[in-house]
Amino acid sequence: MGADLISFWRELSQDNKELSEDFASRDSNEPIPPYFFHYFRPDGNGLEPYFKKHPYGDEIFQRIQKIYDATSKNKENYMYFIVQYPEIMTKEELIRLGSRYIQSIRDILHDMGGPNTLFSDEVTVLVIPGECPEDLRNNDISGEIYTILGDYFRNFTSDSEFMLLSYGDCLYYMACNYDLVHYILWPLVAKQSAVSEPYAASFDLWKHDAKAVFIDSNTLHIYVKEYN
């Protein structure tokens, strides 16, 4: 799977010397350059033709474009796509976003047929100004949720050549966040799921440079640098 897509992308890359050479250096285990999407920073200009030939291309491209849109105004290019100037939300909007995130996890757990043993039926969402403390970033609850979100996507299969983007590093290396990878590729498997857009809340948290962390089974903190 994927030979036609790789051939097409190689052909489109001929006018970009560095990208063309990067493609030429790839082997069959990683045919797409890991930093492929970095070549189209800051605004994604020139990327759309890569998604025109194959089914689902428009849907996938539109989601990738949102990542460029969220980072195009950065004063400098970080190694990864990092949101430097997020749209400022109100406290109430952030609480609603946190509630959406909780509901998306509930929906996934229900669709997977398992009970929710991670958090209680009533979760308080609190908005906390500033950075998330390092010792809370990967606590047990948040780590297990991240694993579940990844396992859920891997429950599904697709014969689309765009699934190559989930096997390699090129999408992951945009922001080192598998929730974004699964959000981008969701149109490929959406018809197999009873859940509508299970990764959209995770994407919106990232887009607003907000970090959702379960402090315990009853409390979700939304860490954000600034809000109205």
PDB file of all heavy atoms in Angstrom, residues 73-105:
ATOM      1  N   LYS A  73       1.681  32.737  12.443  1.00  0.00           N
ATOM      2  CA  LYS A  73       2.071  34.074  12.901  1.00  0.00           C
ATOM      3  C   LYS A  73       3.234  34.051  13.885  1.00  0.00           C
ATOM      4  O   LYS A  73       3.619  35.100  14.423  1.00  0.00           O
ATOM      5  CB  LYS A  73       0.867  34.774  13.536  1.00  0.00           C
ATOM      6  CG  LYS A  73      -0.254  35.059  12.550  1.00  0.00           C
ATOM      7  CD  LYS A  73      -1.422  35.754  13.229  1.00  0.00           C
ATOM      8  CE  LYS A  73      -2.551  36.022  12.242  1.00  0.00           C
ATOM      9  NZ  LYS A  73      -3.713  36.690  12.902  1.00  0.00           N
ATOM     10  N   ASN A  74       3.799  32.882  14.120  1.00  0.00           N
ATOM     11  CA  ASN A  74       4.938  32.794  15.042  1.00  0.00           C
ATOM     12  C   ASN A  74       6.078  33.698  14.597  1.00  0.00           C
ATOM     13  O   ASN A  74       6.341  33.827  13.395  1.00  0.00           O
ATOM     14  CB  ASN A  74       5.440  31.353  15.129  1.00  0.00           C
ATOM     15  CG  ASN A  74       4.504  30.457  15.923  1.00  0.00           C
ATOM     16  OD1 ASN A  74       3.440  30.886  16.357  1.00  0.00           O
ATOM     17  ND2 ASN A  74       4.894  29.209  16.109  1.00  0.00           N
ATOM     18  N   LYS A  75       6.747  34.279  15.549  1.00  0.00           N
ATOM     19  CA  LYS A  75       7.882  35.147  15.219  1.00  0.00           C
ATOM     20  C   LYS A  75       9.085  34.347  14.747  1.00  0.00           C
ATOM     21  O   LYS A  75       9.961  34.869  14.066  1.00  0.00           O
ATOM     22  CB  LYS A  75       8.262  35.992  16.445  1.00  0.00           C
ATOM     23  CG  LYS A  75       7.250  37.070  16.791  1.00  0.00           C
ATOM     24  CD  LYS A  75       7.741  37.925  17.950  1.00  0.00           C
ATOM     25  CE  LYS A  75       6.760  39.043  18.247  1.00  0.00           C
ATOM     26  NZ  LYS A  75       7.206  39.886  19.394  1.00  0.00           N
ATOM     27  N   GLU A  76       9.134  33.098  15.134  1.00  0.00           N
ATOM     28  CA  GLU A  76      10.237  32.243  14.724  1.00  0.00           C
ATOM     29  C   GLU A  76       9.720  30.828  14.510  1.00  0.00           C
ATOM     30  O   GLU A  76       8.678  30.455  15.033  1.00  0.00           O
ATOM     31  CB  GLU A  76      11.333  32.237  15.790  1.00  0.00           C
ATOM     32  CG  GLU A  76      10.839  31.818  17.165  1.00  0.00           C
ATOM     33  CD  GLU A  76      11.927  31.923  18.219  1.00  0.00           C
ATOM     34  OE1 GLU A  76      12.993  31.339  17.995  1.00  0.00           O
ATOM     35  OE2 GLU A  76      11.691  32.571  19.251  1.00  0.00           O
ATOM     36  N   ASN A  77      10.425  30.066  13.706  1.00  0.00           N
ATOM     37  CA  ASN A  77      10.053  28.676  13.483  1.00  0.00           C
ATOM     38  C   ASN A  77      10.710  27.805  14.540  1.00  0.00           C
ATOM     39  O   ASN A  77      11.918  27.592  14.528  1.00  0.00           O
ATOM     40  CB  ASN A  77      10.507  28.213  12.087  1.00  0.00           C
ATOM     41  CG  ASN A  77       9.519  28.608  11.015  1.00  0.00           C
ATOM     42  OD1 ASN A  77       8.403  29.011  11.302  1.00  0.00           O
ATOM     43  ND2 ASN A  77       9.937  28.490   9.775  1.00  0.00           N
ATOM     44  N   TYR A  78       9.893  27.336  15.462  1.00  0.00           N
ATOM     45  CA  TYR A  78      10.389  26.345  16.405  1.00  0.00           C
ATOM     46  C   TYR A  78      10.652  25.045  15.652  1.00  0.00           C
ATOM     47  O   TYR A  78      10.217  24.871  14.517  1.00  0.00           O
ATOM     48  CB  TYR A  78       9.362  26.101  17.505  1.00  0.00           C
ATOM     49  CG  TYR A  78       9.051  27.307  18.364  1.00  0.00           C
ATOM     50  CD1 TYR A  78       7.904  28.058  18.151  1.00  0.00           C
ATOM     51  CD2 TYR A  78       9.914  27.680  19.387  1.00  0.00           C
ATOM     52  CE1 TYR A  78       7.609  29.156  18.940  1.00  0.00           C
ATOM     53  CE2 TYR A  78       9.623  28.783  20.184  1.00  0.00           C
ATOM     54  CZ  TYR A  78       8.470  29.519  19.941  1.00  0.00           C
ATOM     55  OH  TYR A  78       8.194  30.604  20.727  1.00  0.00           O
ATOM     56  N   MET A  79      11.344  24.123  16.303  1.00  0.00           N
ATOM     57  CA  MET A  79      11.599  22.839  15.652  1.00  0.00           C
ATOM     58  C   MET A  79      10.291  22.156  15.285  1.00  0.00           C
ATOM     59  O   MET A  79      10.167  21.553  14.231  1.00  0.00           O
ATOM     60  CB  MET A  79      12.429  21.933  16.559  1.00  0.00           C
ATOM     61  CG  MET A  79      12.776  20.599  15.918  1.00  0.00           C
ATOM     62  SD  MET A  79      13.872  19.625  16.963  1.00  0.00           S
ATOM     63  CE  MET A  79      14.116  18.184  15.922  1.00  0.00           C
ATOM     64  N   TYR A  80       9.284  22.281  16.168  1.00  0.00           N
ATOM     65  CA  TYR A  80       7.973  21.696  15.900  1.00  0.00           C
ATOM     66  C   TYR A  80       6.937  22.806  15.777  1.00  0.00           C
ATOM     67  O   TYR A  80       7.225  23.972  16.043  1.00  0.00           O
ATOM     68  CB  TYR A  80       7.596  20.717  17.020  1.00  0.00           C
ATOM     69  CG  TYR A  80       8.583  19.581  17.162  1.00  0.00           C
ATOM     70  CD1 TYR A  80       9.455  19.522  18.242  1.00  0.00           C
ATOM     71  CD2 TYR A  80       8.669  18.586  16.187  1.00  0.00           C
ATOM     72  CE1 TYR A  80      10.367  18.489  18.365  1.00  0.00           C
ATOM     73  CE2 TYR A  80       9.592  17.559  16.300  1.00  0.00           C
ATOM     74  CZ  TYR A  80      10.441  17.509  17.389  1.00  0.00           C
ATOM     75  OH  TYR A  80      11.350  16.498  17.487  1.00  0.00           O
ATOM     76  N   PHE A  81       5.743  22.437  15.379  1.00  0.00           N
ATOM     77  CA  PHE A  81       4.658  23.399  15.226  1.00  0.00           C
ATOM     78  C   PHE A  81       4.078  23.691  16.622  1.00  0.00           C
ATOM     79  O   PHE A  81       3.323  22.897  17.175  1.00  0.00           O
ATOM     80  CB  PHE A  81       3.568  22.833  14.314  1.00  0.00           C
ATOM     81  CG  PHE A  81       3.959  22.748  12.868  1.00  0.00           C
ATOM     82  CD1 PHE A  81       4.914  21.838  12.440  1.00  0.00           C
ATOM     83  CD2 PHE A  81       3.366  23.574  11.921  1.00  0.00           C
ATOM     84  CE1 PHE A  81       5.278  21.744  11.102  1.00  0.00           C
ATOM     85  CE2 PHE A  81       3.718  23.491  10.576  1.00  0.00           C
ATOM     86  CZ  PHE A  81       4.681  22.578  10.177  1.00  0.00           C
ATOM     87  N   ILE A  82       4.449  24.816  17.170  1.00  0.00           N
ATOM     88  CA  ILE A  82       4.033  25.210  18.508  1.00  0.00           C
ATOM     89  C   ILE A  82       3.171  26.466  18.397  1.00  0.00           C
ATOM     90  O   ILE A  82       3.535  27.421  17.699  1.00  0.00           O
ATOM     91  CB  ILE A  82       5.245  25.474  19.407  1.00  0.00           C
ATOM     92  CG1 ILE A  82       6.036  24.169  19.617  1.00  0.00           C
ATOM     93  CG2 ILE A  82       4.827  26.067  20.752  1.00  0.00           C
ATOM     94  CD1 ILE A  82       7.351  24.360  20.340  1.00  0.00           C
ATOM     95  N   VAL A  83       2.038  26.468  19.079  1.00  0.00           N
ATOM     96  CA  VAL A  83       1.140  27.620  19.028  1.00  0.00           C
ATOM     97  C   VAL A  83       1.703  28.725  19.910  1.00  0.00           C
ATOM     98  O   VAL A  83       1.783  28.589  21.127  1.00  0.00           O
ATOM     99  CB  VAL A  83      -0.277  27.233  19.499  1.00  0.00           C
ATOM    100  CG1 VAL A  83      -1.198  28.453  19.461  1.00  0.00           C
ATOM    101  CG2 VAL A  83      -0.844  26.121  18.625  1.00  0.00           C
ATOM    102  N   GLN A  84       2.110  29.805  19.277  1.00  0.00           N
ATOM    103  CA  GLN A  84       2.731  30.908  20.014  1.00  0.00           C
ATOM    104  C   GLN A  84       1.727  32.018  20.323  1.00  0.00           C
ATOM    105  O   GLN A  84       1.811  32.659  21.369  1.00  0.00           O
ATOM    106  CB  GLN A  84       3.894  31.483  19.199  1.00  0.00           C
ATOM    107  CG  GLN A  84       4.753  32.476  19.954  1.00  0.00           C
ATOM    108  CD  GLN A  84       5.953  32.923  19.144  1.00  0.00           C
ATOM    109  OE1 GLN A  84       5.946  32.853  17.913  1.00  0.00           O
ATOM    110  NE2 GLN A  84       6.998  33.391  19.817  1.00  0.00           N
ATOM    111  N   TYR A  85       0.773  32.238  19.426  1.00  0.00           N
ATOM    112  CA  TYR A  85      -0.214  33.296  19.602  1.00  0.00           C
ATOM    113  C   TYR A  85      -1.629  32.727  19.467  1.00  0.00           C
ATOM    114  O   TYR A  85      -2.298  32.927  18.454  1.00  0.00           O
ATOM    115  CB  TYR A  85       0.000  34.405  18.574  1.00  0.00           C
ATOM    116  CG  TYR A  85       1.348  35.077  18.680  1.00  0.00           C
ATOM    117  CD1 TYR A  85       2.326  34.858  17.725  1.00  0.00           C
ATOM    118  CD2 TYR A  85       1.622  35.946  19.742  1.00  0.00           C
ATOM    119  CE1 TYR A  85       3.563  35.479  17.824  1.00  0.00           C
ATOM    120  CE2 TYR A  85       2.855  36.566  19.845  1.00  0.00           C
ATOM    121  CZ  TYR A  85       3.819  36.325  18.888  1.00  0.00           C
ATOM    122  OH  TYR A  85       5.054  36.939  18.987  1.00  0.00           O
ATOM    123  N   PRO A  86      -2.094  32.003  20.482  1.00  0.00           N
ATOM    124  CA  PRO A  86      -3.437  31.425  20.389  1.00  0.00           C
ATOM    125  C   PRO A  86      -4.519  32.492  20.513  1.00  0.00           C
ATOM    126  O   PRO A  86      -4.301  33.561  21.088  1.00  0.00           O
ATOM    127  CB  PRO A  86      -3.481  30.480  21.584  1.00  0.00           C
ATOM    128  CG  PRO A  86      -2.569  31.108  22.588  1.00  0.00           C
ATOM    129  CD  PRO A  86      -1.454  31.708  21.779  1.00  0.00           C
ATOM    130  N   GLU A  87      -5.678  32.178  19.959  1.00  0.00           N
ATOM    131  CA  GLU A  87      -6.841  33.023  20.179  1.00  0.00           C
ATOM    132  C   GLU A  87      -7.189  32.965  21.666  1.00  0.00           C
ATOM    133  O   GLU A  87      -7.249  31.893  22.262  1.00  0.00           O
ATOM    134  CB  GLU A  87      -8.024  32.509  19.349  1.00  0.00           C
ATOM    135  CG  GLU A  87      -9.310  33.260  19.564  1.00  0.00           C
ATOM    136  CD  GLU A  87     -10.472  32.624  18.834  1.00  0.00           C
ATOM    137  OE1 GLU A  87     -10.226  31.693  18.039  1.00  0.00           O
ATOM    138  OE2 GLU A  87     -11.626  33.038  19.079  1.00  0.00           O
ATOM    139  N   ILE A  88      -7.393  34.125  22.270  1.00  0.00           N
ATOM    140  CA  ILE A  88      -7.676  34.181  23.696  1.00  0.00           C
ATOM    141  C   ILE A  88      -9.153  33.837  23.939  1.00  0.00           C
ATOM    142  O   ILE A  88     -10.051  34.461  23.358  1.00  0.00           O
ATOM    143  CB  ILE A  88      -7.364  35.574  24.273  1.00  0.00           C
ATOM    144  CG1 ILE A  88      -5.907  35.958  23.947  1.00  0.00           C
ATOM    145  CG2 ILE A  88      -7.597  35.583  25.777  1.00  0.00           C
ATOM    146  CD1 ILE A  88      -4.883  34.986  24.476  1.00  0.00           C
ATOM    147  N   MET A  89      -9.388  32.849  24.779  1.00  0.00           N
ATOM    148  CA  MET A  89     -10.743  32.427  25.100  1.00  0.00           C
ATOM    149  C   MET A  89     -11.170  32.970  26.458  1.00  0.00           C
ATOM    150  O   MET A  89     -10.321  33.378  27.275  1.00  0.00           O
ATOM    151  CB  MET A  89     -10.828  30.894  25.120  1.00  0.00           C
ATOM    152  CG  MET A  89     -10.442  30.228  23.812  1.00  0.00           C
ATOM    153  SD  MET A  89     -10.555  28.418  23.914  1.00  0.00           S
ATOM    154  CE  MET A  89     -12.342  28.196  23.831  1.00  0.00           C
ATOM    155  N   THR A  90     -12.468  32.972  26.697  1.00  0.00           N
ATOM    156  CA  THR A  90     -12.958  33.336  28.017  1.00  0.00           C
ATOM    157  C   THR A  90     -12.861  32.124  28.938  1.00  0.00           C
ATOM    158  O   THR A  90     -12.730  30.984  28.489  1.00  0.00           O
ATOM    159  CB  THR A  90     -14.424  33.800  27.958  1.00  0.00           C
ATOM    160  OG1 THR A  90     -15.255  32.694  27.570  1.00  0.00           O
ATOM    161  CG2 THR A  90     -14.590  34.944  26.976  1.00  0.00           C
ATOM    162  N   LYS A  91     -12.947  32.382  30.225  1.00  0.00           N
ATOM    163  CA  LYS A  91     -12.924  31.294  31.202  1.00  0.00           C
ATOM    164  C   LYS A  91     -14.075  30.334  30.947  1.00  0.00           C
ATOM    165  O   LYS A  91     -13.908  29.107  31.013  1.00  0.00           O
ATOM    166  CB  LYS A  91     -13.012  31.875  32.614  1.00  0.00           C
ATOM    167  CG  LYS A  91     -12.979  30.829  33.719  1.00  0.00           C
ATOM    168  CD  LYS A  91     -13.041  31.504  35.083  1.00  0.00           C
ATOM    169  CE  LYS A  91     -13.019  30.476  36.207  1.00  0.00           C
ATOM    170  NZ  LYS A  91     -13.066  31.125  37.543  1.00  0.00           N
ATOM    171  N   GLU A  92     -15.242  30.863  30.621  1.00  0.00           N
ATOM    172  CA  GLU A  92     -16.410  30.029  30.379  1.00  0.00           C
ATOM    173  C   GLU A  92     -16.207  29.148  29.145  1.00  0.00           C
ATOM    174  O   GLU A  92     -16.602  27.970  29.133  1.00  0.00           O
ATOM    175  CB  GLU A  92     -17.657  30.904  30.203  1.00  0.00           C
ATOM    176  CG  GLU A  92     -18.130  31.609  31.464  1.00  0.00           C
ATOM    177  CD  GLU A  92     -17.227  32.771  31.883  1.00  0.00           C
ATOM    178  OE1 GLU A  92     -16.476  33.288  31.024  1.00  0.00           O
ATOM    179  OE2 GLU A  92     -17.246  33.139  33.085  1.00  0.00           O
ATOM    180  N   GLU A  93     -15.595  29.705  28.104  1.00  0.00           N
ATOM    181  CA  GLU A  93     -15.329  28.922  26.898  1.00  0.00           C
ATOM    182  C   GLU A  93     -14.349  27.789  27.186  1.00  0.00           C
ATOM    183  O   GLU A  93     -14.507  26.675  26.670  1.00  0.00           O
ATOM    184  CB  GLU A  93     -14.782  29.834  25.789  1.00  0.00           C
ATOM    185  CG  GLU A  93     -15.818  30.760  25.185  1.00  0.00           C
ATOM    186  CD  GLU A  93     -15.211  31.771  24.233  1.00  0.00           C
ATOM    187  OE1 GLU A  93     -14.028  32.142  24.423  1.00  0.00           O
ATOM    188  OE2 GLU A  93     -15.918  32.201  23.307  1.00  0.00           O
ATOM    189  N   LEU A  94     -13.362  28.061  27.993  1.00  0.00           N
ATOM    190  CA  LEU A  94     -12.380  27.034  28.342  1.00  0.00           C
ATOM    191  C   LEU A  94     -13.017  25.928  29.181  1.00  0.00           C
ATOM    192  O   LEU A  94     -12.702  24.743  29.002  1.00  0.00           O
ATOM    193  CB  LEU A  94     -11.211  27.662  29.088  1.00  0.00           C
ATOM    194  CG  LEU A  94     -10.264  28.511  28.229  1.00  0.00           C
ATOM    195  CD1 LEU A  94      -9.402  29.412  29.103  1.00  0.00           C
ATOM    196  CD2 LEU A  94      -9.394  27.622  27.350  1.00  0.00           C
ATOM    197  N   ILE A  95     -13.921  26.297  30.076  1.00  0.00           N
ATOM    198  CA  ILE A  95     -14.619  25.282  30.866  1.00  0.00           C
ATOM    199  C   ILE A  95     -15.473  24.400  29.963  1.00  0.00           C
ATOM    200  O   ILE A  95     -15.507  23.171  30.117  1.00  0.00           O
ATOM    201  CB  ILE A  95     -15.468  25.952  31.962  1.00  0.00           C
ATOM    202  CG1 ILE A  95     -14.548  26.556  33.024  1.00  0.00           C
ATOM    203  CG2 ILE A  95     -16.434  24.945  32.597  1.00  0.00           C
ATOM    204  CD1 ILE A  95     -15.282  27.375  34.066  1.00  0.00           C
ATOM    205  N   ARG A  96     -16.146  25.015  28.991  1.00  0.00           N
ATOM    206  CA  ARG A  96     -16.951  24.222  28.051  1.00  0.00           C
ATOM    207  C   ARG A  96     -16.060  23.304  27.221  1.00  0.00           C
ATOM    208  O   ARG A  96     -16.435  22.152  26.932  1.00  0.00           O
ATOM    209  CB  ARG A  96     -17.765  25.145  27.142  1.00  0.00           C
ATOM    210  CG  ARG A  96     -18.945  25.807  27.836  1.00  0.00           C
ATOM    211  CD  ARG A  96     -19.931  26.382  26.837  1.00  0.00           C
ATOM    212  NE  ARG A  96     -19.377  27.504  26.106  1.00  0.00           N
ATOM    213  CZ  ARG A  96     -19.463  28.773  26.512  1.00  0.00           C
ATOM    214  NH1 ARG A  96     -20.080  29.067  27.657  1.00  0.00           N
ATOM    215  NH2 ARG A  96     -18.948  29.750  25.787  1.00  0.00           N
ATOM    216  N   LEU A  97     -14.889  23.796  26.839  1.00  0.00           N
ATOM    217  CA  LEU A  97     -13.961  22.964  26.083  1.00  0.00           C
ATOM    218  C   LEU A  97     -13.487  21.788  26.932  1.00  0.00           C
ATOM    219  O   LEU A  97     -13.383  20.652  26.444  1.00  0.00           O
ATOM    220  CB  LEU A  97     -12.768  23.807  25.622  1.00  0.00           C
ATOM    221  CG  LEU A  97     -11.651  23.080  24.857  1.00  0.00           C
ATOM    222  CD1 LEU A  97     -12.203  22.293  23.677  1.00  0.00           C
ATOM    223  CD2 LEU A  97     -10.605  24.071  24.384  1.00  0.00           C
ATOM    224  N   GLY A  98     -13.207  22.038  28.202  1.00  0.00           N
ATOM    225  CA  GLY A  98     -12.834  20.950  29.095  1.00  0.00           C
ATOM    226  C   GLY A  98     -13.947  19.918  29.220  1.00  0.00           C
ATOM    227  O   GLY A  98     -13.687  18.706  29.240  1.00  0.00           O
ATOM    228  N   SER A  99     -15.179  20.380  29.282  1.00  0.00           N
ATOM    229  CA  SER A  99     -16.324  19.462  29.368  1.00  0.00           C
ATOM    230  C   SER A  99     -16.462  18.649  28.088  1.00  0.00           C
ATOM    231  O   SER A  99     -16.800  17.457  28.130  1.00  0.00           O
ATOM    232  CB  SER A  99     -17.608  20.256  29.636  1.00  0.00           C
ATOM    233  OG  SER A  99     -17.547  20.915  30.892  1.00  0.00           O
ATOM    234  N   ARG A 100     -16.189  19.274  26.944  1.00  0.00           N
ATOM    235  CA  ARG A 100     -16.195  18.536  25.667  1.00  0.00           C
ATOM    236  C   ARG A 100     -15.132  17.451  25.670  1.00  0.00           C
ATOM    237  O   ARG A 100     -15.359  16.338  25.177  1.00  0.00           O
ATOM    238  CB  ARG A 100     -15.941  19.493  24.502  1.00  0.00           C
ATOM    239  CG  ARG A 100     -17.137  20.266  23.989  1.00  0.00           C
ATOM    240  CD  ARG A 100     -16.725  21.170  22.845  1.00  0.00           C
ATOM    241  NE  ARG A 100     -15.996  20.428  21.818  1.00  0.00           N
ATOM    242  CZ  ARG A 100     -15.056  20.962  21.044  1.00  0.00           C
ATOM    243  NH1 ARG A 100     -14.689  22.236  21.172  1.00  0.00           N
ATOM    244  NH2 ARG A 100     -14.451  20.221  20.134  1.00  0.00           N
ATOM    245  N   TYR A 101     -13.966  17.781  26.190  1.00  0.00           N
ATOM    246  CA  TYR A 101     -12.873  16.814  26.254  1.00  0.00           C
ATOM    247  C   TYR A 101     -13.270  15.615  27.114  1.00  0.00           C
ATOM    248  O   TYR A 101     -13.062  14.458  26.733  1.00  0.00           O
ATOM    249  CB  TYR A 101     -11.640  17.509  26.821  1.00  0.00           C
ATOM    250  CG  TYR A 101     -10.436  16.615  27.017  1.00  0.00           C
ATOM    251  CD1 TYR A 101      -9.769  16.061  25.927  1.00  0.00           C
ATOM    252  CD2 TYR A 101      -9.943  16.346  28.299  1.00  0.00           C
ATOM    253  CE1 TYR A 101      -8.657  15.253  26.109  1.00  0.00           C
ATOM    254  CE2 TYR A 101      -8.834  15.542  28.481  1.00  0.00           C
ATOM    255  CZ  TYR A 101      -8.193  15.001  27.377  1.00  0.00           C
ATOM    256  OH  TYR A 101      -7.101  14.184  27.565  1.00  0.00           O
ATOM    257  N   ILE A 102     -13.870  15.889  28.258  1.00  0.00           N
ATOM    258  CA  ILE A 102     -14.333  14.812  29.137  1.00  0.00           C
ATOM    259  C   ILE A 102     -15.368  13.949  28.428  1.00  0.00           C
ATOM    260  O   ILE A 102     -15.306  12.708  28.460  1.00  0.00           O
ATOM    261  CB  ILE A 102     -14.927  15.404  30.429  1.00  0.00           C
ATOM    262  CG1 ILE A 102     -13.831  16.065  31.267  1.00  0.00           C
ATOM    263  CG2 ILE A 102     -15.637  14.321  31.247  1.00  0.00           C
ATOM    264  CD1 ILE A 102     -14.360  16.909  32.410  1.00  0.00           C
ATOM    265  N   GLN A 103     -16.324  14.598  27.746  1.00  0.00           N
ATOM    266  CA  GLN A 103     -17.376  13.847  27.070  1.00  0.00           C
ATOM    267  C   GLN A 103     -16.814  12.986  25.944  1.00  0.00           C
ATOM    268  O   GLN A 103     -17.279  11.861  25.713  1.00  0.00           O
ATOM    269  CB  GLN A 103     -18.438  14.798  26.524  1.00  0.00           C
ATOM    270  CG  GLN A 103     -19.667  14.086  25.960  1.00  0.00           C
ATOM    271  CD  GLN A 103     -20.360  13.218  26.986  1.00  0.00           C
ATOM    272  OE1 GLN A 103     -20.640  13.681  28.098  1.00  0.00           O
ATOM    273  NE2 GLN A 103     -20.618  11.956  26.643  1.00  0.00           N
ATOM    274  N   SER A 104     -15.813  13.478  25.241  1.00  0.00           N
ATOM    275  CA  SER A 104     -15.216  12.691  24.159  1.00  0.00           C
ATOM    276  C   SER A 104     -14.580  11.416  24.699  1.00  0.00           C
ATOM    277  O   SER A 104     -14.674  10.347  24.073  1.00  0.00           O
ATOM    278  CB  SER A 104     -14.178  13.524  23.388  1.00  0.00           C
ATOM    279  OG  SER A 104     -13.031  13.799  24.177  1.00  0.00           O
ATOM    280  N   ILE A 105     -13.971  11.502  25.867  1.00  0.00           N
ATOM    281  CA  ILE A 105     -13.373  10.305  26.477  1.00  0.00           C
ATOM    282  C   ILE A 105     -14.473   9.347  26.930  1.00  0.00           C
ATOM    283  O   ILE A 105     -14.360   8.129  26.739  1.00  0.00           O
ATOM    284  CB  ILE A 105     -12.467  10.700  27.655  1.00  0.00           C
ATOM    285  CG1 ILE A 105     -11.336  11.615  27.181  1.00  0.00           C
ATOM    286  CG2 ILE A 105     -11.875   9.455  28.325  1.00  0.00           C
ATOM    287  CD1 ILE A 105     -10.604  12.309  28.291  1.00  0.00           C
TER     288      ILE A 105
END
